[in-house]
Amino acid sequence: MSDIAPGWYKDPADPATQRWWDGEGWIGAPLPADATPPDGPPPPEPAPAPPAPAAGVDGTPPARDGGPHGWPVDRTAVPPRHSPVPTPPPPGWPHGAPPPAGWPQGAPPPGWPQGAPPPPGWPHGAPPPPGWAPAPVMPHGMALAGYGARFVARLIDLGVLLVLVLIANSWFLVQYFQELQAYLPQVSEYLAAAERGENPAVPAASDRFSFLQLAMLVVTAMVWFAYEVPQIANSGQTVGKRLMGIKAIGLQDGATPGFIRAFRRWNLYGVATLFWSCCGIGLLWQLLDGLSPLFDRHLQRAWHDRVAQTVVVQLPRDASGAPLPAGRPGTNPARPPADPGGRTDTTGGDR
């Protein structure tokens, strides 16, 4: 017994027609898709009239009891045997997989919610099967990491980086502030002269001031590289990701990214640090890159994930809610046992 309410639906086998679904199968003659169907089920089709008996060939008596022409009159014809026609799998069913038991030809799967988009391969023009909802994306059997977990992990990493950058740039910071103290009086004199209506020359920073500024940006990028790339390459997790129980894995193989992918992943937004002093262009680029997962509804990948072919997933948790360990480099212990049919990997064709 199906959960689909009886009614008129477009026939998935022939989208140009519509037929009556009685809860178990299609009944009645088809109607054009644009025709107005009756309020209830179609009237029963009249039984076909039996053909008139005809004389046999070469003086043989006419057929009797449904026998063929020339069949002996004292015998009843044996009904012909028809080999059962195999029912094709439902539209969109994985190639090579057996169809579900009892699948009726052309019938939508029972229990799919109304209004959900139809499954892949569903005939064009047919109503979405009631109850269908797309399966959650599970790259290599693991759920995608949530936006909140990724945001908190990034904040933790930025906090750790801030401490490391201040330590690495300590000497440059002292020299920079000394140059800044010599430069600020020139700025004050310029502003005072401008208020008096004069036309003073704009004070220019010394070459050493610009050099120290660039040097600190280079050191910041180097510290960021040394902090993030080796961790992502070896385990797919920085300090923030480890605390939040999320991990970056390869989209195609589900393994830890390795150095090349980790470098490509960092390079897209890490090098932009060198352009912070260029009207904030580098900082704006990094902000847009951080928001880019919001615009990827399928795999929630940032631009740097797309370049490196990685995806961030949520590691499974134990009974207490704590994330399980990420495992040794180059492996993915959170990945379930291999599925020969690949049905647990629902990356949606991006493999």
Side-chain angles (χ1 to χ4, degrees), residues 82 117 132 137 164 181 227 234 265 327:
H82 297 282
W132 186 83
V137 178
L164 297 177
Q181 290 176 355
Y227 170 79
N234 292 326
R265 191 175 188 272

Side-chain angles (χ1 to χ4, degrees), residues 140-141 253 332-345 351:
H140 303 281
D253 53 15
N332 184 4
R335 185 177 179 181
D339 185 358
R343 291 183 293 272
T344 57
D345 181 9
R351 302 182 65 187

Side-chain angles (χ1 to χ4, degrees), residues 238-306:
T238 56
V239 174
K241 285 182 171 59
R242 188 172 294 108
L243 293 177
M244 298 306 299
I246 61 179
K247 178 181 179 181
I249 62 174
L251 180 62
Q252 295 181 349
D253 53 15
T256 50
F259 180 80
I260 299 299
R261 281 189 292 196
F263 175 74
R264 292 173 61 188
R265 191 175 188 272
W266 172 87
N267 183 64
L268 187 67
Y269 60 92
V271 174
T273 305
L274 303 177
F275 299 93
W276 282 0
S277 59
C278 299
C279 302
I281 293 178
L283 189 61
L284 177 61
W285 174 265
Q286 291 171 341
L287 178 62
L288 294 176
D289 181 77
L291 296 176
S292 58
L294 299 174
F295 305 101
D296 183 4
R297 299 298 181 88
H298 182 52
L299 290 173
Q300 301 176 9
R301 291 187 297 169
W303 293 340
H304 54 266
D305 286 311
R306 290 178 174 272

